[in-house]
Structures are given as structure tokens and as C-alpha cells.
Amino acid sequence: METSTTIIGLGLLLITFFPIIMLMRNQQIKKSKINEIIALNCPENPKQFSIREFQNSKVVALHPEKNKLVFVDFNAQPETAQFVDLHEVSTCEMKSQIDSSFNQKKDFVVKVELILNLKNKTNQILKFYDFEYEKPIQTAYFRDNQFAEKWFFEINKRIK
């Protein structure tokens, strides 16, 4: 009786802790991948990107003293990493693309992006939401839109 209870208890313990261990392992892998991408773009000291935010497989990291920004999108295929020197940005604008053909009662947002107009007359686009590879949930748009708005205001505060 005691042996079977012990085996059942160990089995339940494994079933409980295995998903937690896998989740922690995946988070550590993603964190090291992010640090590797930042180190690739800023080899002198990647730890200086002290302001970091993660949401919906997107990462924005900011180096507050040098005004450098890294945007990583793990949802895109292949995943994208963009490095922006905010000293080179003249203006920043937020753009939402809406498609009303899906539903007649309300508009359907298909893209949310920040367009950084650089001083050399080129644009750099940071896609915070794209329906093409985030189809299953429209609710992701609301979170990604808030995330984009927050960084829109943060970037505008730093370029002016």
C-alpha cells in the first residue's frame, strides 16, 4: 500500500513540475537568444540595454544613454531583428491599416506599425501587429496596439 502511494505521488509530482520546468527552460532559451541578438548589434556592452519589454513574442530594448533601440519579432517568419539609432530618426509616426471587408459592422485591423523617418530620407518600419502571421486572435491587436503606442510616445520623447 505504501509503495503504490509513493509511486502515485512521484508520478503526480512529475506531471506537475515537468511543464513548469519546460516553461522555465524555454524562457531561458529565449532570453539568451535576445541577449545574443543585442550583443550582435551592440557588441561593446549589451547589458546597457536596460529598458526591455516583452509582449506577444516581440521584444523592444532601449539603451537610454545612447538612445539606441532594438526591436525583435519572433512571430515573423523568419524572425526579424532591427537596430535603430534614435539620433538618426527625424520623425516617428504610428500607422494602423484597417480592412472593413471582413465585417460590415466594425473595422478589422490588419497591421499596426511604427514608421521611423530617418534623417537620410529612408524609412524603417517596426511591425507591432500583422494579421498575416497572427491570424488566430484579433485580441492580440489590442495588446500590440497599446505596446506600439507606448513605444511611439517613448521614441518621440527621445528624438525631440
Side-chain angles (χ1 to χ4, degrees):
M1 181 84 170
E2 291 178 17
T3 308
S4 62
T5 305
T6 305
I7 291 171
I8 291 171
L10 287 174
L12 288 174
L13 205 63
L14 275 173
I15 290 171
T16 304
F17 285 115
F18 184 71
I20 295 170
I21 291 169
M22 292 304 292
L23 180 67
M24 289 172 44
R25 180 179 168 269
N26 287 342
Q27 285 179 340
Q28 190 63 34
I29 289 170
K30 195 170 270 192
K31 199 178 276 189
S32 66
K33 197 176 211 179
I34 292 165
N35 286 336
E36 183 180 305
I37 290 170
I38 291 174
L40 231 149
N41 289 311
C42 187
E44 61 266 5
N45 196 356
K47 299 271 189 227
Q48 292 294 322
F49 283 82
S50 59
I51 301 172
R52 294 182 186 193
E53 276 195 67
F54 311 91
Q55 183 169 320
N56 197 16
S57 297
K58 291 173 188 62
V59 179
V60 181
L62 178 70
H63 189 304
E65 290 86 35
K66 292 188 178 180
N67 275 348
K68 296 188 183 212
L69 183 95
V70 176
F71 178 78
V72 184
D73 187 359
F74 291 108
N75 283 336
Q77 297 300 328
E79 61 191 41
T80 59
Q82 296 175 310
F83 182 74
V84 180
D85 185 357
L86 295 178
H87 295 296
E88 298 298 317
V89 176
S90 59
T91 60
C92 175
E93 56 188 271
M94 187 170 158
K95 180 182 168 189
S96 295
Q97 185 177 345
I98 297 171
D99 189 359
S100 57
S101 65
F102 283 103
N103 189 347
Q104 304 300 344
K105 294 182 181 175
K106 66 179 187 176
D107 294 331
F108 194 75
V109 178
V110 291
K111 275 187 189 175
V112 175
E113 52 194 19
L114 292 183
I115 301 171
L116 305 174
N117 300 313
L118 303 177
K119 291 178 181 172
N120 63 3
K121 305 294 183 207
T122 60
N123 293 339
Q124 191 160 8
I125 298 173
L126 307 177
K127 286 187 184 180
F128 280 84
Y129 176 78
D130 192 351
F131 182 71
E132 288 301 314
Y133 54 82
E134 298 178 48
K135 287 182 184 174
I137 46 175
Q138 178 69 19
T139 56
Y141 151 70
F142 296 110
R143 290 181 300 209
D144 291 344
N145 188 51
Q146 289 175 341
F147 192 48
E149 280 180 3
K150 178 184 185 279
W151 282 99
F152 169 71
F153 292 124
E154 184 70 30
I155 290 170
N156 274 326
K157 182 172 66 174
R158 292 183 181 277
I159 62 174
K160 293 188 180 182

